[in-house]
């Protein structure tokens, strides 16, 4: 008789709703933990990448200065090279920024698909990294551009080779800006999840 009463049905309904709310809260907390783990890993990898880039530049730039002197690149030549590098960097920043925002572009579907397919799991929450990424594509592109520039500089011992070696890196090596945009997205995801958890808990 008690089980068929309206109050008994209300108790059963409230118990079921509490379980669903608890499950949603646990999933949101697990997703937040996974997002923070992704941010920590991304920050570590970005710092290591920028450290390697700066170290490489510190090693090669003094050699490039002496090489310019050996090849007869005077102050006019060096000033022109600096101006061209700045112009290429300006154009490259706009191009790479636009490409990194597009996950459905040809670059993202090809170069941005390298290294995909891995999933991250923590406390039942799973993040799928199998989709193409414009950010990932531009990071690969910047690394390849740096290697191409170094290969040209090493293979062509001439002033023309010096000019050509400058172009790939100045135009396409903008990994620092891409990393900033990527880490900013990670922070935004965490802030969104924290706000969602507060709303679910009635704290908003």
């Amino acid at each position: 008789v008690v089980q068929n009463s309206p109050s008994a049905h209300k108790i059963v309904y409230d118990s079921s709703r509490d379980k669903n709310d608890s499950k949603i809260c646990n999933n949101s907390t697990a997703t937040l933990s996974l997002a923070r783990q992704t941010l920590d890993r991304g920050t570590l990898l970005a710092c290591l990448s920028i450290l390697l880039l700066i170290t490489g530049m510190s090693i090669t730039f003094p050699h490039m200065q002496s090489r310019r002197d050996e090849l007869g690149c005077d102050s006019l030549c060096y000033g022109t090279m600096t101006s061209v590098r700045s112009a290429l960097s300006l154009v490259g920043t706009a191009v790479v920024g636009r490409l990194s925002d597009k996950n459905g572009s040809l670059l993202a579907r090809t170069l941005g698909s390298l290294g995909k397919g891995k999933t991250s799991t923590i406390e039942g929450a799973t993040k799928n990294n199998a989709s193409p990424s414009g950010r990932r594509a531009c990071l690969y592109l910047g690394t390849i551009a740096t290697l191409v520039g170094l290969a040209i500089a090493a293979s062509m011992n001439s002033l023309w080779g010096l000019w050509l070696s400058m172009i790939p890196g100045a135009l396409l090596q903008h990994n620092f800006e891409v990393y900033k945009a990527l880490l900013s997205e990670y922070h935004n995801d965490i802030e969104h999840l924290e706000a969602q958890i507060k709303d679910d808990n009635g704290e908003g």
Side-chain angles (χ1 to χ4, degrees), residues 13-178:
Y13 171 74
D14 290 343
S15 177
S16 176
R17 185 176 63 181
D18 290 341
K19 290 181 180 179
N20 291 333
D21 292 342
S22 177
K23 184 177 180 180
I24 292 173
C25 182
N26 291 335
N27 289 337
S28 299
T29 304
T31 305
L32 178 60
S33 300
L34 183 58
R36 286 173 174 167
Q37 185 184 72
T38 302
L39 174 62
D40 293 340
R41 183 173 180 271
T43 303
L44 177 62
L45 293 177
C47 291
L48 289 176
S49 178
I50 298 301
L51 177 62
L52 290 175
L53 179 62
I54 294 175
T55 302
M57 292 171 60
S58 301
I59 294 174
T60 57
F61 271 19
H63 171 69
M64 297 299 291
Q65 179 63 47
S66 61
R67 189 178 183 188
R68 281 194 299 265
D69 296 338
E70 292 176 359
L71 296 175
C73 183
D74 55 10
S75 57
L76 178 61
C77 171
Y78 180 67
T80 305
M81 187 176 294
T82 302
S83 299
V84 172
R85 181 186 291 111
S86 300
L88 290 175
S89 297
L90 182 64
V91 174
T93 299
V95 173
V96 171
R98 191 173 182 84
L99 289 175
S100 67
D101 291 335
K102 295 182 178 180
N103 294 329
S105 64
L106 179 62
L107 182 67
R109 295 196 306 269
T110 54
L111 195 60
S113 297
L114 296 177
K116 72 174 187 178
K118 299 179 181 179
T119 56
S120 303
T121 304
I122 180 173
E123 298 178 4
T126 301
K127 180 181 179 181
N128 188 6
N129 300 319
S131 59
S133 172
R135 308 280 192 220
R136 186 189 301 123
C138 289
L139 291 174
Y140 281 128
L141 189 63
T143 303
I144 293 172
T146 301
L147 295 177
V148 170
L150 291 175
I152 294 174
S155 60
M156 298 180 65
N157 189 23
S158 64
L159 197 58
W160 178 241
L162 202 63
W163 276 88
L164 289 179
S165 65
M166 173 195 67
I167 296 175
L171 191 61
L172 299 174
Q173 171 54 268
H174 299 280
N175 285 8
F176 182 71
E177 287 78 9
V178 176

